Every structure is written in C-alpha cells, then in structure tokens.
Amino acid sequence: LGQEQARTLDDIIKSFLLRRLAKDVLTKILPPRTEMLLFCRPSPTQRQLYNDLTSKPNMDPLPMLTKLRKLCSHPDLLSPNSSACSIGIKASGKLEILGKLLDEVRMVHPDEKVVLVSCFTSTLTLIEKMLVKQRKWSYKRLDGTVSQSDRQP
C-alpha cells in the first residue's frame, strides 16, 4: 500500500518538479573533456619525506593516508604553518609536470581553458601561487569560499 501511494504522489508532483542532472547541463555548456593519466616521479624531497612518514611506527592509518596524498602534490602541504612556495615548484614532481603541461597548452592553444580539480583547497592555493599567478595567467577559482553570487555572471 505504501509503495502504491508513493507512486501516486510521485505522478502528481512530477509535473511541478524540475530535475536536471549535472551531466546533462554540463554537456550543453562545456566541450568534451580530455583526460590524461600521467605517472610523475616524486622529487628527492618527496621521496625522503615519504620514507620518513612511512617509517613511523603506530601511526593512525587515516591521517597517514591524508598526509601521503598531500605529499604527492607538494611537501609544503604537510605543514599547516608553512607559507606556500617555501620550497619551490621543483620540490614536487607532480607540480613540475603540471607546470610544463600548462606552459605547453598556453603555447599551442593560448585561448584554451583548463580545469584543475583537487580534493584539497590547499593544493589549489599552491597551484595558484606557484604556477598561475607567477605566469600572470587569468583564472577563476571555484571552491567553498566563493559565494553563490560570485559563481555565476
């Protein structure tokens, strides 16, 4: 009886609801995305810090995994008090490759747009400071700190 009433209610309100899926909206706005999977060698600094982190006995696994994920992006992300750019871009194999890729895109397709996604806003801040601002590229940042009114023109 409950399922039947739920279907009846669903049929009644269906005409009043607007439901859009992100994939349907994005395909109308954005061109098809190009994905690349690259394996980047860690820098000597990253390798040393990895060995230091993984040799600590009795470390809680979840915080360890978070630290290792941050280390993969850049060693500066391990220290919350570290000012970004203290070590430099060469301290991260991943950021060094990203910088080269972005330079190449800008050279070959100067008007092309690039979307960078990260689970850590601190990584976006680092990319912003080390790559984007130093090269004086225009960019838009979209994360939890951007107000709703600033998200859309």
Side-chain angles (χ1 to χ4, degrees), residues 47-65:
R47 281 193 296 273
Q48 180 60 49
L49 287 169
Y50 174 85
N51 290 334
D52 293 347
L53 281 171
T54 56
S55 65
K56 290 181 181 177
N58 304 325
M59 184 151 181
D60 192 16
L62 196 54
M64 168 67 88
L65 286 173

Side-chain angles (χ1 to χ4, degrees), residues 29 72 94 115 148:
I29 299 171
C72 286
K94 188 184 281 188
V115 177
Q148 185 71 27

Side-chain angles (χ1 to χ4, degrees), residues 36 38 40 89-90 92-108 130-131 135 137:
M36 286 197 281
L38 299 174
C40 306
I89 196 170
K90 297 275 187 198
S92 167
K94 188 184 281 188
L95 284 189
E96 194 171 359
I97 296 298
L98 177 62
K100 290 176 182 178
L101 283 172
L102 292 176
D103 287 338
E104 185 70 23
V105 168
R106 288 287 173 237
M107 223 174 11
V108 177
M130 288 187 164
L131 294 172
R135 289 166 168 85
W137 291 334

Side-chain angles (χ1 to χ4, degrees), residues 4-52:
E4 184 180 317
Q5 289 177 338
R7 275 194 297 270
T8 304
L9 181 60
D10 190 38
D11 289 339
I12 293 170
I13 64 171
K14 194 182 295 183
S15 62
F16 299 104
L17 292 179
L18 174 62
R19 179 152 190 232
R20 299 185 308 180
L21 299 175
K23 66 179 178 80
D24 298 331
V25 174
L26 293 179
T27 56
K28 294 176 186 170
I29 299 171
L30 299 174
R33 77 177 173 197
T34 303
E35 286 188 43
M36 286 197 281
L37 178 62
L38 299 174
F39 294 94
C40 306
R41 292 188 188 278
S43 70
T45 304
Q46 285 173 304
R47 281 193 296 273
Q48 180 60 49
L49 287 169
Y50 174 85
N51 290 334
D52 293 347

Side-chain angles (χ1 to χ4, degrees), residues 68-128:
L68 291 173
R69 287 178 60 208
K70 288 182 176 185
L71 176 60
C72 286
S73 291
H74 196 281
D76 275 354
L77 298 175
L78 292 179
S79 174
N81 300 327
S82 171
S83 63
C85 309
S86 66
I87 302 176
I89 196 170
K90 297 275 187 198
S92 167
K94 188 184 281 188
L95 284 189
E96 194 171 359
I97 296 298
L98 177 62
K100 290 176 182 178
L101 283 172
L102 292 176
D103 287 338
E104 185 70 23
V105 168
R106 288 287 173 237
M107 223 174 11
V108 177
H109 304 286
D111 296 328
E112 194 72 23
K113 307 259 186 305
V114 176
V115 177
L116 298 175
V117 179
S118 175
C119 294
F120 301 108
T121 56
S122 54
T123 301
L124 294 175
T125 301
L126 203 77
I127 291 169
E128 190 177 344

